[in-house]
Amino acid sequence: MLEQMFLQGKIHAKDRMMAKDMHVRLKEFADNGELEQDEVPKVSTIQRWISQYHKTFLDQATRTALQSNLGEDISEGRLILAVVFFKLSRRTKLNEPPLVYYRFPIIGHTWSFVTDCEKLMLESREKYGETFSLYVLGQVMTVVGKETTHEVLKKDQDFNFNEGFRTLVPFHSVFSHLTSLDKNHKIIRDYVVGKLKYLTSRLQKNIIKAIDLYIGECVEPKVIRDPPKTLSDIIAIPIANIIVGEDCCNYEDILETFKTLTHSVMKIFFVPPILSFIHPWLHKQFVTIPLRFGWNPISNHRKLIISRIKPIIEKRLYDKKRLGDAWIAPLDALQCYLDDPETTPDLDPNNVNYNYIADAIGHFIVAAMATTSDSATQNKQQYWQELYQEAQNINNQYDGNELTSNDIARMVKLDNFVKESLRLSIGVVGLPHKCISKSYYTFANEYQVPSDRIVILNFSDTNNDEELQGPNPTEFNAYRHLERNSPASKLERNFLTFGGGKHACPGRFLAVDGIKVFLHKVILKYDIRTETKGTENIETKKVYFGPLPGPIKGGIVFENRKEIAN
Ligand code: HEM
């Protein structure tokens, strides 16, 4: 019976049935006495049968297509079709997640993925369950929902984000001198997390400096028309200070690199991925041709970083040799490379691996800049008054002096506001991980994926879930995290913005503190509203660019507060 239902769907798309529909039909047969009740399989069993049968069906179709093509003249179009069929049918004999139905071969789900990813995920999830596969840009990708997301994040022996990301965006070809990403992670973890307490003072000095520079005195209302750009200009100053240090971060050209490097890198990957439809490898080869011929979008940034850090490194090494133990090492990420004997052997200025340090700094910039500025741009006006009161209470206690780590920890309402902004700042799906198991991986739900498969996390499945998020999960509610007493930097099942497991973002503590200090200062100093009267909030999250959140639109008006916070 199942076979008949399946084949009917193949003849007429309108007759196509999902596992759930087949289950209902079989139950009807059982009710009519044509089948025993206990002979009706579960929906999950039917789903597995469909996956298996689909493979056999494709195998046969491929063989038939190839045989008939070999016997006759092989037209190019038919050959490509046969190859695509063959590629799909090679999907091993594993118990793979169901492949979501698509109408057009070669294109697969690419069009819906790009134009309405949210709808594609919702519908596929509803019909196929929380784990399913899509055919996007010439490759099968498996999408996992809320039940399986943390399995992928935690099993770092089986799934790797850097490998997955580089399959889609070959960053490693751009930052070619950065041989160890793990080292970069360790530096940020040890330096930022370990020393955050000591960095707080610098963080706020530089944030105040940046606010004065880019928002300034607003005696008359001042409209910021491009909030993401202004945010990026502001964030560049404290982040540059913490990464390249006090001596280097004031150069205009270095700050410009912090603001623009991410965009320079992304530019080369905006080539339309036409070749991916034949094979993703071909597209990758195509976009990296300029790199192989010596052109690299970050060459100028790399040269500039080296020209600025070189004299500073030489001076530090010289001082260290001269003063010995009496020398006090500056506190910045740059110094971490100088403390590493592999990068700076024998403390010899002539042996320093400058290319490696410059690429590592470039990688930090990409990891830190866009993520932090995008997350700090939420403007939900109804919260401003309450947040202002909390800010004033804290401000009264530190009496206008410097904020300490304890003061930042006491900004509880603001922390919840930031957490909710961060929760909703992620796209529909993301964090592509490559399966690096030896030949395949079996999920706890028994589905299996072959090694090299890209497994991508369905963020909306976690974000839209009432059990995980509480009532109205898709709406911005700054205080949904209050009861759980869970700070914005804490990794949790219902909060995926910083990833999870061993590779979770090591810069999250710095990012959250930076955003909080920035908002605290801004709320105390300015009355803030949207430019267009009547629009309370700038809507940011409902516009997507493929699976990614779209840019924030609309101006924000800043005006000095009439009452002076003291
Ligand atoms: C709101 C701001 C930020 C967001 C949303 C964010 C998000 C993320 C995410 C999702 C990952 C991947 C995690 C995973 O594989 O599970 C990551 C990795 C990373 N982030 Fe962040 N990040 C932010 C700020 C920063 C900052 C400020 C820094 C550095 C100062 C930083 C440094 C890194 C590094 C080095 C990695 C790579 C970790 C690894 O591969 O092991 N991030 N970040």
Side-chain angles (χ1 to χ4, degrees):
M1 281 176 184
L2 284 174
E3 198 170 349
Q4 201 179 348
M5 289 186 231
F6 178 88
L7 291 174
Q8 261 171 0
K10 287 283 159 206
I11 298 167
H12 297 297
K14 68 175 176 47
D15 293 334
R16 190 155 194 281
M17 293 173 95
M18 301 299 141
K20 262 196 302 192
D21 308 326
M22 291 187 181
H23 181 75
V24 171
R25 181 69 62 85
L26 289 176
K27 283 195 89 170
E28 282 168 10
F29 285 134
D31 290 345
N32 294 337
E34 293 171 54
L35 201 71
E36 292 298 324
Q37 285 289 354
D38 57 6
E39 281 179 325
V40 178
K42 286 193 212 149
V43 179
S44 55
T45 315
I46 301 178
Q47 188 57 69
R48 275 198 289 279
W49 178 87
I50 295 177
S51 307
Q52 203 56 47
Y53 192 75
H54 192 234
K55 259 174 251 156
T56 318
F57 179 80
L58 282 173
D59 272 347
Q60 278 169 2
T62 310
R63 243 174 274 127
T64 314
L66 285 173
Q67 274 163 10
S68 66
N69 271 329
L70 288 174
E72 302 161 15
D73 282 351
I74 305 176
S75 75
E76 262 174 46
R78 290 171 99 184
L79 190 59
I80 289 174
L81 270 181
V83 169
V84 172
F85 253 161
F86 186 66
K87 252 168 64 179
L88 286 175
S89 68
R90 268 188 359 171
R91 296 170 77 223
T92 55
K93 300 289 172 212
L94 301 173
N95 175 30
E96 283 214 33
L99 180 66
V100 173
Y101 169 75
Y102 56 87
R103 199 167 294 163
F104 303 107
I106 301 178
I107 305 282
H109 304 100
T110 310
W111 181 249
S112 355
F113 190 83
V114 173
T115 56
D116 199 348
C117 189
E118 202 178 17
K119 186 166 165 226
L120 174 68
M121 292 303 149
L122 271 174
E123 289 182 357
S124 309
R125 207 263 181 244
E126 207 179 299
K127 284 186 191 156
Y128 296 85
E130 73 114 42
T131 308
F132 51 84
S133 293
L134 298 172
Y135 189 66
V136 178
L137 288 172
Q139 65 180 315
V140 177
M141 285 181 184
T142 295
V143 181
V144 296
K146 61 184 166 105
E147 310 294 344
T148 313
T149 286
H150 286 270
E151 193 177 336
V152 173
L153 289 172
K154 290 215 168 107
K155 298 266 179 176
D156 64 301
Q157 302 290 324
D158 297 289
F159 295 101
N160 186 300
F161 169 58
N162 285 324
E163 289 286 324
F165 191 66
R166 70 161 61 180
T167 311
L168 305 176
V169 183
F171 261 16
H172 56 296
S173 312
V174 175
F175 297 108
S176 51
H177 298 287
L178 181 61
T179 41
S180 165
L181 281 174
D182 282 348
K183 217 185 233 182
N184 244 18
H185 183 128
K186 190 172 171 329
I187 283 181
I188 284 293
R189 202 184 51 217
D190 295 351
Y191 158 62
V192 174
V193 181
K195 306 276 180 346
L196 195 58
K197 222 166 54 182
Y198 307 101
L199 296 174
T200 305
S201 162
R202 266 162 61 189
L203 190 66
Q204 59 189 295
K205 265 190 212 140
N206 282 288
I207 287 175
I208 294 170
K209 178 174 146 188
I211 293 174
D212 288 344
L213 198 64
Y214 290 104
I215 307 179
E217 286 307 317
C218 302
V219 183
E220 295 298 321
K222 177 173 173 181
V223 186
I224 303 264
R225 292 252 147 69
D226 187 356
K229 173 165 185 322
T230 306
L231 243 301
S232 158
D233 292 343
I234 291 175
I235 297 285
I237 293 181
I239 294 207
N241 179 284
I242 278 167
I243 293 180
V244 291
E246 302 262 30
D247 317 332
C248 193
C249 72
N250 290 321
Y251 294 119
E252 275 302 317
D253 45 14
I254 276 284
L255 285 176
E256 202 49 37
T257 281
F258 271 76
K259 293 174 201 167
T260 56
L261 185 134
T262 310
H263 186 69
S264 310
V265 175
M266 295 314 290
K267 252 189 332 210
I268 63 163
F269 302 116
F270 284 145
V271 180
I274 311 283
L275 290 171
S276 280
F277 290 114
I278 301 173
H279 198 288
W281 180 86
L282 276 178
H283 173 69
K284 211 156 89 184
Q285 297 309 307
F286 182 68
V287 292
T288 50
I289 287 173
L291 296 169
R292 273 177 274 129
F293 281 94
W295 180 85
N296 186 324
I298 66 149
S299 300
N300 287 342
H301 293 293
R302 186 189 281 146
K303 257 192 232 148
L304 181 106
I305 294 174
I306 293 176
S307 74
R308 289 302 187 190
I309 60 172
K310 200 167 177 208
I312 291 166
I313 291 178
E314 283 168 355
K315 180 165 182 327
R316 286 187 189 183
L317 295 179
Y318 174 74
D319 286 351
K320 187 171 178 175
K321 267 197 181 154
R322 194 168 53 89
L323 299 170
D325 289 346
W327 184 68
I328 299 170
L331 204 55
D332 48 47
L334 180 62
Q335 185 58 35
C336 300
Y337 296 107
L338 304 185
D339 294 339
D340 174 5
E342 267 182 47
T343 318
T344 313
D346 310 321
L347 300 180
D348 180 353
N350 299 316
N351 274 340
V352 176
N353 190 342
Y354 288 106
N355 281 323
Y356 176 83
I357 300 180
D359 279 16
I361 289 173
H363 188 258
F364 277 153
I365 296 174
V366 174
M369 278 299 300
T371 45
T372 312
S373 56
D374 285 354
S375 313
T377 338
Q378 281 281 352
N379 177 15
K380 298 286 171 183
Q381 215 166 321
Q382 73 267 34
Y383 292 100
W384 273 175
Q385 192 51 31
E386 225 175 311
L387 292 176
Y388 177 56
Q389 273 160 12
E390 181 186 75
Q392 262 198 326
N393 289 341
I394 291 168
N395 187 51
N396 287 341
Q397 285 170 30
Y398 71 78
D399 204 17
N401 292 320
E402 252 182 26
L403 288 163
T404 60
S405 306
N406 283 345
D407 295 323
I408 300 176
R410 291 209 329 272
M411 299 170 186
V412 178
K413 286 185 179 169
L414 184 60
D415 192 87
N416 283 281
F417 179 87
V418 171
K419 183 156 194 169
E420 186 67 346
S421 310
L422 288 168
R423 179 179 80 87
L424 295 172
S425 72
I426 51 179
V428 183
V429 293
L431 289 182
H433 282 65
K434 189 177 194 169
C435 175
I436 50 168
S437 309
K438 214 156 185 206
S439 53
Y440 64 89
Y441 176 81
T442 307
F443 289 111
N445 62 15
E446 293 183 8
Y447 281 132
Q448 297 174 311
V449 285
S451 72
D452 285 349
R453 167 67 52 82
I454 295 295
V455 175
I456 184 160
L457 312 183
N458 187 349
F459 290 149
S460 54
D461 197 39
T462 295
N463 259 353
N464 299 353
D465 188 82
E466 264 196 32
E467 254 173 53
L468 288 170
Q469 310 295 351
N472 305 321
T474 53
E475 281 170 25
F476 188 100
N477 172 6
Y479 305 135
R480 69 171 75 245
H481 311 281
L482 201 57
E483 277 171 23
R484 271 198 288 260
N485 186 22
S486 62
S489 50
K490 191 171 169 193
L491 305 170
E492 287 182 295
R493 274 195 91 72
N494 64 350
F495 182 63
L496 302 176
T497 308
F498 293 117
K502 213 166 125 186
H503 289 278
C505 174
R508 63 189 186 277
F509 303 95
L510 175 70
V512 168
D513 275 12
I515 295 171
K516 281 169 73 178
V517 170
F518 164 73
L519 289 174
H520 175 80
K521 297 289 177 192
V522 161
I523 289 168
L524 282 177
K525 185 162 182 182
Y526 304 104
D527 259 326
I528 306 162
R529 57 182 185 276
T530 47
E531 190 184 11
T532 327
K533 277 204 178 121
T535 41
E536 255 201 333
N537 304 318
I538 289 187
E539 276 316 326
T540 54
K541 293 305 137 214
K542 288 299 145 198
V543 184
Y544 292 106
F545 180 66
L548 307 171
I552 288 165
K553 292 195 181 108
I556 306 183
V557 184
F558 291 83
E559 187 173 5
N560 284 357
R561 280 190 182 275
K562 302 287 180 263
E563 68 274 45
I564 301 296
N566 58 7

